[in-house]
Amino acid sequence: MKVAFILDPSINQDILKQYLSESYKFSTKYYDVSNNYGALHEIRPDLIFMSTNINGQCGFNLINEMRIIDFNLVIISPNERSAIKAFKYGALHYIVAPITPLDIVRVQERLSMKKSISTY
């Protein structure tokens, strides 16, 4: 599974990598919303961890540009304000920072549930 990070620099992506299992392949990290659309289509990640605010830019703007969302999306935010919006965009999970091991376990559980449902 290919994973991309579109995160504000204040989010420690090393913690994410540490908690994720070895079955994940990590793609490039991004810190700018405006230049990521083309790169995401090239990489075609299965899972994206995205901040709601990336260097003062709204992470949801990137999702608005996409015609097809064919990846799992996990939103990371310092607060709960954007949770409803995240789920309207089809987010798999919403994490309120700081990230904990339990948050990653929940993401992995939801991915497993989604995979088992899609095999029926």
Side-chain angles (χ1 to χ4, degrees), residues 35-54:
N35 298 327
N36 290 324
Y37 180 72
L40 286 175
H41 278 286
E42 260 181 53
I43 295 169
R44 301 196 50 83
D46 303 299
L47 175 63
I48 295 177
F49 286 88
M50 185 181 79
S51 299
T52 53
N53 182 357
I54 306 153

Side-chain angles (χ1 to χ4, degrees), residues 6-7 30-37 54-55 57 62:
I6 305 173
L7 300 171
Y30 303 99
Y31 297 112
D32 182 10
V33 173
S34 60
N35 298 327
N36 290 324
Y37 180 72
I54 306 153
N55 287 332
Q57 300 175 60
L62 178 63

Side-chain angles (χ1 to χ4, degrees), residues 57-87:
Q57 300 175 60
C58 179
F60 291 112
N61 288 345
L62 178 63
I63 304 302
N64 286 335
E65 292 179 27
M66 299 186 166
R67 294 185 192 118
I68 299 172
I69 299 176
D70 58 352
F71 51 83
N72 294 291
L73 179 64
V74 176
I75 302 293
I76 302 171
S77 178
N79 56 58
E80 298 171 349
R81 282 193 312 240
S82 300
I84 292 173
K85 188 174 188 177
F87 289 113

Side-chain angles (χ1 to χ4, degrees), residues 88-117:
K88 284 183 179 179
Y89 279 90
L92 178 73
H93 194 51
Y94 190 89
I95 298 173
V96 177
I99 301 162
T100 67
L102 182 58
D103 292 319
I104 302 307
V105 167
R106 288 187 177 143
V107 168
Q108 291 173 324
E109 288 171 349
R110 289 180 184 200
L111 284 168
S112 293
M113 286 181 0
K114 188 173 180 179
K115 185 178 178 182
S116 67
I117 290 170

